[in-house]
Amino acid sequence: QDDAATPQFGVVFISSAEDRAPGSGRTAESLAQQYANGQATGATWNRWPLYWFNIENPAGSFNWATQDATVQADVAQGLQVNAILLGTPGFYTTNDSVRLSQPPRLRPGELSLDAPERATPLGLYEPIFADGSDIPGAGKTPNPDNKWAVFVWLAVNRYKPGGLLAQANGWPAGVGVTHWEMWNEPDLNSFWDAPVEDYARLLKVGYLTAKQADPNATVLFAGLANN
């Protein structure tokens, strides 16, 4: 493949959903400048997080407004998106001592998660699919008891090429989010405070769910701090 014809360089946080959240202090002008600065480097990718705890709150209620706006802006700027899925909502942790409901939080520039957000999600070891299996197949949907599978399923179906946002905006074929990173830096306890085996399960659940939602999706192992 000719890298000169298909540049792969990207920047983390050219823009993110938290830039558009109420209280962020960001203006349309400052966001435009962020995009100009990012693209001045030659970047063609924007890598930013979809924080689960900011999207689903309370349990079963999903608000994608700022994420929608960021994906739309990235597409308008001609950027491809590497979307990072992470951050367990407090009410879905497997540790009762930290299970709680929390308001959405801004974290531009923050480099860690709080204790509930880095814990193993509730139901992670439940079957991935609603038929009680971990085996993908035509027409299968996620098991509602596997909370991580449900979140990944909804995110991919919303932002994939041909997904809900693409349909709403009339985007041509192939436009949308194609790359999904399962968590961030799980080798640091500031991001993942759970056994390695739990991350392996999270990666498997995320991979199979994302590929069920979009067979053309590229699913990425979380970026590591210590390579």
Side-chain angles (χ1 to χ4, degrees), residues 16 23 30 84 96 98 150 154 201 217 224:
S16 73
S30 67
I84 315 165
D96 287 335
V98 296
V150 171
L154 292 174
R201 174 65 181 174
L224 299 178

Side-chain angles (χ1 to χ4, degrees), residues 172-227:
V175 176
V177 179
T178 57
H179 286 60
W180 301 92
E181 188 172 344
M182 297 296 147
W183 221 265
N184 180 66
E185 296 181 347
D187 54 330
L188 296 181
N189 62 14
S190 56
F191 276 106
W192 181 253
D193 190 15
V196 172
E197 293 80 5
D198 285 4
Y199 177 73
R201 174 65 181 174
L202 181 135
L203 180 62
K204 177 180 179 178
V205 172
Y207 176 86
L208 292 175
T209 304
K211 296 293 280 187
Q212 178 71 16
D214 179 10
N216 295 316
T218 297
V219 180
L220 306 173
F221 189 94
L224 299 178
N226 303 297
N227 295 326

Side-chain angles (χ1 to χ4, degrees), residues 28-195:
E29 291 76 15
S30 67
L31 287 171
Q33 188 62 55
Q34 283 181 219
Y35 277 112
N37 292 344
Q39 292 184 312
T41 69
T44 59
W45 287 79
N46 185 17
R47 177 179 181 264
W48 55 275
L50 279 72
Y51 289 117
W52 182 10
F53 56 81
N54 274 351
I55 294 168
E56 184 178 0
N57 199 344
S61 178
F62 296 84
N63 183 343
W64 304 90
T66 56
Q67 291 76 21
D68 286 358
T70 307
V71 173
Q72 288 171 304
D74 285 356
V75 168
Q77 292 288 332
L79 293 168
Q80 297 188 73
V81 179
N82 174 7
I84 315 165
L85 302 179
L86 78 164
T88 306
F91 41 79
Y92 286 154
T93 72
T94 51
N95 182 345
D96 287 335
S97 67
V98 296
R99 190 175 298 167
L100 47 85
S101 179
Q102 69 230 63
R105 296 195 295 109
L106 305 180
R107 45 177 76 247
E110 277 194 42
L111 299 177
S112 66
L113 299 177
D114 289 345
E117 301 158 3
R118 56 182 183 253
T120 304
L122 191 68
L124 186 63
Y125 285 90
E126 294 294 325
I128 298 171
F129 299 106
D131 66 351
S133 79
D134 283 359
I135 302 171
K140 290 194 177 185
T141 57
N143 174 9
D145 292 332
N146 193 316
K147 305 304 183 183
W148 174 245
V150 171
F151 174 63
V152 173
W153 174 263
L154 292 174
V156 176
N157 275 298
R158 190 172 191 86
Y159 297 124
K160 69 181 181 180
L164 294 176
L165 195 66
Q167 293 174 38
N169 286 275
W171 291 341
V175 176
V177 179
T178 57
H179 286 60
W180 301 92
E181 188 172 344
M182 297 296 147
W183 221 265
N184 180 66
E185 296 181 347
D187 54 330
L188 296 181
N189 62 14
S190 56
F191 276 106
W192 181 253
D193 190 15

